[in-house]
């Protein structure tokens, strides 16, 4: 039995929607709890599948967890384990984020290699290189990263690959370095807001980090980190999802509890295309925008256009007169879902790492399949604007990263329901 969304397109989205806490922030903040024996209390944690996978993993590693109404309390028990098994890493590749904290805290760990995902290879060589530079001995054995150290020592680490800095790689090395001896410099560090959130929480726990939010981080190791109470930042990708939904079909849609600064670049792009967007301190008001100009854009590391917003721009391009194009600068193969959009009448050609999108008069409802989280949510947006009924299958991908998506959309006026098939 699997679940699908059934959507009848054409309804306006009006009213207010509250953005949840950031999935990708919460996941790394939860992993950071491994660095301390004291309690970590997190507020604004979204209740979604990946968070539950992370809870399962932390429980396996010896944490006791209470999760009530978006507040998550993590406590240390005596049943410590340092192995992140395949069945959990396989469910959520972000589980690799326990590598740095386990190694720093317990001097050894075994973490399953994550493998690829629906939008292509997802290597972890930068994570491994970072740990090696900090003095860890690493063997790749039967699908596992087997790591140990007699004590991590600070180092200078250049942490970028062919596609730029690594978000979770930076977070892994940053966490490991907080308990290493001496000073670590991470050059070409990722600057994503979720990494900044992690650095801010680590500082509150007693870590010494300079250059937060820049591409060079200097971390001076300390002997021990303390417990902390901390609030997760709003989810910028969920914000972007509702923002584009509003441009497609909103009527004074108010997106609340968000941080528009984290979307400064895409908001500027959308405004330049003619989108009706009004920015407040922690909210955005957006309405359906007619006669938008076609766009040519590429995804890049923060502060530029996030790869996780790429599928939503593609859906937008589908209904803008003229030819738009979006290039993938992070995951060149992240276009699988465009064949599903084609089933809804979209005119998209993939040329290398670029989707060339010719606007069509309208999309038409069809049965389509989510191939990953963001692609799945983009198909939901396509369904909201399409003529007739759309069924999005395999919505477990969407449940991994969106808290109550169909409830939030229904409250705004969308005709969407979850059905069992
Ligand atoms: N890369 C390497 N070697 C590595 C690590 C990455 O070559 O060791 C490459 C990747 O293949 C990619 C680029 O570097 O081309 C950037 O990947 P990155 O490591 O930054 O990705 P990530 O940290 O594994 C996070 C988010 C993703 C988001 C990417 C890019 C989390 C939990 N995941 O992944 O979010 O797409 O950054 O911004 O933070 C999502 O939420 O749906 C999602 C996939």
């Amino acid at each position: 039995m699997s679940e699908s969304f059934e959507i009848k397109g054409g309804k306006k989205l009006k009213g207010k929607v509250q953005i949840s806490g950031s999935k990708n922030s919460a996941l790394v903040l939860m992993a950071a709890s491994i660095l301390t024996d004291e309690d970590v209390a997190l507020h604004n944690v979204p209740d979604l599948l990946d968070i539950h996978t992370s809870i399962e993993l932390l429980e396996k590693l010896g944490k006791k967890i209470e999760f009530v109404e978006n507040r998550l309390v993590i406590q240390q028990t005596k049943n410590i384990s340092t192995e992140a098994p395949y069945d959990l890493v396989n469910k959520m590749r972000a589980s690799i984020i326990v590598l740095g904290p386990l190694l720093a805290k317990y001097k050894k760990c075994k973490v399953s290699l994550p493998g690829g995902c629906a939008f292509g290879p997802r290597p972890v060589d930068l994570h491994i290189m970072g740990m090696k530079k900090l003095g860890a001995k690493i063997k790749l054995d039967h699908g596992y990263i087997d790591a140990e150290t007699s004590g991590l020592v600070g180092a200078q680490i250049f942490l970028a690959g062919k596609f730029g800095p690594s978000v979770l790689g930076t977070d892994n090395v940053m966490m490991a370095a907080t308990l290493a001896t001496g000073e670590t410099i991470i050059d070409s560090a990722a600057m994503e807001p979720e990494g900044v959130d992690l650095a801010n929480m680590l500082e509150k726990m007693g870590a010494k980090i300079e250059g937060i939010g820049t591409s060079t981080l200097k971390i001076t190791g300390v002997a021990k980190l303390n417990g902390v109470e901390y609030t997760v930042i709003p989810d910028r990708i969920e914000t972007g999802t509702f923002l584009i939904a509003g441009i497609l079909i909103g009527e004074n849609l108010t997106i609340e509890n968000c941080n528009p600064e984290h979307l400064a670049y895409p908001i500027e792009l959308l405004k330049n295309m003619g989108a009706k967007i009004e920015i407040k301190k922690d909210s955005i008001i957006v309405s359906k925008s007619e006669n938008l100009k076609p766009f040519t854009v590429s995804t890049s590391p923060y502060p530029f256009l996030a790869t996780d917003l790429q599928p939503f721009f593609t859906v937008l391009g589908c209904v803008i007169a003229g030819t738009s194009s979006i290039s993938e600068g992070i995951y060149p193969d992240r276009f699988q879902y465009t064949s599903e959009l084609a089933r809804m009448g979209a005119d998209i050609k993939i040329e290398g790492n670029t989707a060339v999108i010719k606007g069509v008069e309208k999309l038409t409802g069809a049965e389509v399949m989510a191939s990953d989280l963001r692609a799945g949510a983009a198909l939901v947006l396509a369904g909201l604007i399409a003529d007739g009924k759309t069924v999005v299958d395999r919505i477990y991908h969407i449940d991994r990263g969106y808290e109550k998506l169909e409830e939030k959309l229904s409250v705004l006026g969308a005709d969407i329901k979850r059905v069992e098939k």
Side-chain angles (χ1 to χ4, degrees):
M1 194 97 81
S2 71
E3 292 184 322
S4 303
F5 283 143
E6 246 180 49
I7 304 162
K8 292 208 186 91
K11 294 275 189 322
K12 284 260 155 64
L13 299 181
K14 16 181 177 177
K16 294 175 178 171
V17 60
Q18 307 288 322
I19 294 303
S20 300
S22 159
K23 164 181 82 87
N24 291 347
S25 248
L27 290 175
V28 288
L29 300 182
M30 288 169 74
S33 71
I34 295 170
L35 294 164
T36 178
D37 290 329
E38 296 175 18
D39 295 358
V40 171
L42 298 175
H43 299 272
N44 202 30
V45 177
D47 191 351
L48 38 84
L49 214 55
D50 274 6
I51 297 296
H52 287 275
T53 305
S54 176
I55 289 176
E56 221 184 306
L57 176 58
L58 287 177
E59 283 175 343
K60 225 168 209 141
L61 299 175
K63 296 285 185 182
K64 179 169 166 277
I65 297 185
E66 197 185 284
F67 187 27
V68 183
E69 288 180 1
N70 302 106
R71 179 170 187 270
L72 194 129
V73 180
I74 308 171
Q75 293 177 307
Q76 187 64 54
T77 70
K78 295 205 162 63
N79 303 322
I80 295 161
S81 156
T82 56
E83 179 169 337
Y86 177 65
D87 59 339
L88 289 175
V89 179
N90 182 32
K91 263 200 221 166
M92 183 184 74
R93 66 175 311 291
S95 307
I96 187 73
I97 198 60
V98 299
L99 177 68
L102 283 176
L103 195 54
K105 184 75 174 24
Y106 299 110
K107 299 195 166 56
K108 65 175 175 101
C109 65
K110 226 177 130 176
V111 178
S112 172
L113 281 162
C117 86
F119 45 84
R122 303 278 300 268
V124 290
D125 55 303
L126 296 170
H127 301 241
I128 292 173
M129 180 271 282
M131 296 305 136
K132 282 187 176 163
K133 287 257 173 172
L134 292 173
K137 289 204 175 65
I138 295 197
K139 273 191 310 194
L140 299 184
D141 197 18
H142 297 288
Y144 277 80
I145 304 168
D146 208 334
E148 63 176 335
T149 175
S150 51
L152 297 176
V153 179
Q156 174 123 12
I157 305 171
F158 182 81
L159 209 64
K162 198 167 140 198
F163 297 103
S166 165
V167 172
L168 292 181
T170 301
D171 296 345
N172 242 334
V173 173
M174 190 192 327
M175 286 192 276
T178 59
L179 293 181
T181 306
E183 199 174 279
T184 297
I185 309 273
I186 307 180
D187 285 320
S188 195
M191 298 188 286
E192 269 67 6
E194 297 76 20
V196 171
D197 211 24
L198 171 66
N200 287 336
M201 185 176 97
L202 290 169
E203 278 216 307
K204 261 191 114 178
M205 294 168 78
K208 294 208 172 79
I209 307 177
E210 288 169 51
I212 297 176
T214 74
S215 62
T216 306
L217 294 173
K218 184 169 124 188
I219 302 136
T220 309
V222 296
K224 159 179 184 294
L225 293 180
N226 312 311
V228 68
E229 180 142 6
Y230 194 79
T231 301
V232 179
I233 55 168
D235 196 305
R236 68 192 162 103
I237 308 301
E238 189 197 19
T239 309
T241 307
F242 279 99
L243 177 60
I244 294 191
I247 294 171
L248 289 166
I249 205 163
E251 197 177 289
N252 286 323
L253 171 65
T254 307
I255 305 167
E256 294 188 325
N257 264 356
C258 61
N259 186 340
E261 272 175 29
H262 292 163
L263 288 150
Y265 185 83
I267 287 174
E268 197 55 28
L269 274 176
L270 292 163
K271 278 188 169 171
N272 288 339
M273 286 157 57
K276 289 186 213 155
I277 304 174
E278 195 188 328
I279 305 295
K280 302 267 172 69
K281 187 168 159 282
D282 54 10
S283 65
I284 302 173
I285 304 166
V286 57
S287 290
K288 179 172 160 77
S289 313
E290 311 282 353
N291 302 320
L292 291 178
K293 285 191 263 190
F295 55 86
T296 298
V297 67
S298 178
T299 64
S300 297
Y302 192 81
F304 300 105
L305 181 64
T307 170
D308 290 341
L309 291 175
Q310 180 254 104
F312 307 106
F313 271 78
T314 301
V315 172
L316 186 57
C318 285
V319 290
I320 296 178
T323 303
S324 297
S325 76
I326 186 157
S327 302
E328 231 326 310
I330 311 289
Y331 300 115
D333 299 326
R334 196 176 192 172
F335 287 116
Q336 267 193 5
Y337 66 94
T338 55
S339 350
E340 299 299 295
L341 285 175
R343 303 192 56 254
M344 300 178 72
D347 181 349
I348 304 172
K349 284 202 177 55
I350 304 303
E351 294 173 0
N353 68 336
T354 302
V356 180
I357 312 151
K358 283 205 181 118
V360 292
E361 194 115 309
K362 59 178 173 28
L363 295 177
T364 48
E367 180 156 358
V368 290
M369 190 180 82
S371 52
D372 72 75
L373 165 56
R374 308 301 171 188
L379 292 174
V380 170
L381 293 204
L384 292 175
I385 56 169
D387 251 15
K389 183 167 122 181
T390 295
V391 178
V392 182
D393 295 328
R394 301 202 183 170
I395 58 170
Y396 54 85
H397 287 297
I398 301 174
D399 291 334
R400 285 189 46 200
Y402 286 86
E403 187 175 42
K404 304 188 183 109
L405 181 62
E406 78 273 30
E407 278 177 42
K408 289 186 182 184
L409 286 169
S410 297
V411 169
L412 297 175
D415 187 342
I416 175 169
K417 58 176 190 252
R418 182 179 289 258
V419 295
E420 288 209 338
K421 291 189 80 188

